[in-house]
Amino acid sequence: MKLNMAEEEDYMSDSFINVQEDIRPGLPMLRQIREARRKEEKQQEANLKNRKKSLKEEEQERRDIGLKNALGSENKGFALLQKMGYKSGQALGRSGEGIVEPIPLNVKTGKSGIGHETLLKRKAEEKLENYRRKIHMKSQAEENAAEQFRAVTVQFFLSIRMRLKNKQDEMKLEGDLKRSQRACQQLDTQKNIQVPRETWYWLRPEEETEEEEEEEKEQDEDEYKSGDLSVLEKLQILTSYLREEHLYCIWCGTAYEDKEDLSSNCPGPTSADHD
């Protein structure tokens, strides 16, 4: 009895503790999925083997087998070629410039009539041509829009430059007029001229009383309305007065001795003559 118990292994021994089943989460489910997939693949293979082929598939298989096999001597056409000296693998023609392989067989399996594929091809080409035409017209329109935008932008900047130039020219004319008025006032004062020929011939003082302003306004209305003249017209009138009355040119900055000296040494009566 003791011997039998010794031969039996203890359930607490290492042989019982170390031998454990794999109880990782989800493992039984994975095994079931794999087994089901194996069974499904086997069933599909069995279905493919047992499936009855259609008539078209059988014809296609027979045709492929027939095209793969070369013609033998039992074929009447091939036998006639051999009698004329043809050998297998040789090109057709007296000098061997013909084809080597037979003309490929294109079997029409669809239900469309003759010429239908050509019609579809032509329609596809027309559709492609229309698409290319649309793309070209779109790109052309984008180029025209970009060119028009560039033209408008250039015109805009040219107009701004022209306005700036006109503004600069106007400021230059106003500066020349002020210099002429200042020179006229100095030269008139040197000749003891107390009142200018026209009120705008001289620069007005910066600080004036209201009574003096009223008097000057009345004098302007009575004698001459200078506001009707532009800056350029005032400058032309004043520079002519300085040249005739004082023999002075504002652009030369020189008072000449006589008219002959003025005409011979001064380039001209305008600013452009002195550039």
Side-chain angles (χ1 to χ4, degrees):
M1 186 67 177
K2 292 181 179 179
L3 183 59
N4 292 334
M5 291 178 64
E7 290 177 356
E8 293 180 359
E9 293 183 358
D10 186 7
Y11 69 91
M12 295 296 291
S13 63
D14 293 340
S15 60
F16 279 90
I17 295 174
N18 293 333
V19 178
Q20 297 178 359
E21 294 183 0
D22 192 351
I23 56 173
R24 287 177 292 175
L27 187 60
M29 183 63 68
L30 289 174
R31 288 176 180 172
Q32 292 177 6
I33 293 173
R34 290 174 183 172
E35 187 66 25
R37 188 175 297 172
R38 261 192 244 104
K39 290 181 180 180
E40 186 178 355
E41 290 177 355
K42 289 181 181 180
Q43 186 66 32
Q44 289 178 357
E45 290 177 0
N47 293 338
L48 289 174
K49 290 180 181 179
N50 299 328
R51 185 176 66 87
K52 186 178 180 180
K53 297 179 181 179
S54 63
L55 182 62
K56 289 184 178 180
E57 291 176 344
E58 292 179 356
E59 290 178 354
Q60 183 66 31
E61 288 183 358
R62 289 197 298 268
R63 189 183 302 113
D64 293 339
I65 294 172
L67 291 175
K68 288 180 181 178
N69 297 329
L71 295 176
S73 300
E74 67 277 3
N75 185 276
K76 294 182 179 180
F78 187 74
L80 289 174
L81 287 174
Q82 285 182 328
K83 288 180 181 180
M84 289 187 291
Y86 175 77
K87 295 180 180 180
S88 181
Q90 181 181 356
L92 297 179
R94 181 176 296 178
S95 56
E97 72 280 2
I99 61 174
V100 178
E101 297 293 334
I103 298 174
L105 179 63
N106 295 324
V107 180
K108 188 177 182 302
T109 58
K111 296 182 180 180
S112 58
I114 298 174
H116 182 68
E117 294 181 357
T118 306
L119 178 63
L120 294 178
K121 184 178 179 181
R122 186 173 69 252
K123 287 184 177 180
E125 291 177 352
E126 292 176 355
K127 186 176 181 180
L128 180 61
E129 184 64 25
N130 292 333
Y131 176 75
R132 290 176 177 173
R133 191 180 298 111
K134 288 180 180 179
I135 294 296
H136 178 70
M137 292 174 63
K138 183 179 179 181
S139 61
Q140 191 70 26
E142 290 177 353
E143 291 179 1
N144 293 337
E147 186 66 26
Q148 186 177 3
F149 176 76
R150 285 194 293 269
V152 171
T153 305
V154 170
Q155 187 66 27
F156 174 72
F157 283 109
L158 286 176
S159 63
I160 291 178
R161 183 181 296 177
M162 185 63 66
R163 286 199 296 268
L164 291 175
K165 185 177 182 300
N166 295 336
K167 186 67 177 178
Q168 291 174 354
D169 293 342
E170 185 178 353
M171 292 174 65
K172 186 176 182 300
L173 289 175
E174 291 177 355
D176 291 341
L177 179 60
K178 288 181 179 180
R179 286 197 298 130
S180 301
Q181 289 172 331
R182 191 178 297 109
C184 180
Q185 187 173 0
Q186 292 176 356
L187 294 172
D188 285 350
T189 303
Q190 290 176 3
K191 287 188 175 182
N192 294 324
I193 299 176
Q194 301 298 326
V195 179
R197 179 177 296 182
E198 300 290 343
T199 55
W200 56 266
Y201 275 25
W202 292 4
L203 282 175
R204 293 186 178 184
E206 295 181 359
E207 296 181 357
E208 296 179 337
T209 61
E210 295 182 358
E211 295 180 356
E212 291 176 348
E213 289 180 358
E214 292 294 332
E215 291 178 359
E216 288 185 357
K217 287 181 180 179
E218 293 176 358
Q219 186 176 2
D220 290 342
E221 292 176 356
D222 294 339
E223 294 180 357
Y224 190 80
K225 293 184 179 179
S226 61
D228 296 337
L229 298 174
S230 64
V231 177
L232 180 60
E233 291 173 339
K234 289 181 179 181
L235 181 62
Q236 292 173 347
I237 294 172
L238 189 53
T239 51
S240 298
Y241 170 78
L242 290 173
R243 293 175 70 87
E244 294 173 0
E245 186 68 24
H246 300 288
L247 302 175
Y248 180 79
C249 176
I250 63 167
W251 293 288
C252 295
T254 305
Y256 295 92
E257 296 180 356
D258 50 26
K259 291 184 178 180
E260 184 178 355
D261 185 21
L262 175 64
S263 60
S264 59
N265 293 320
C266 180
T270 63
S271 175
D273 297 331
H274 293 74
D275 292 339

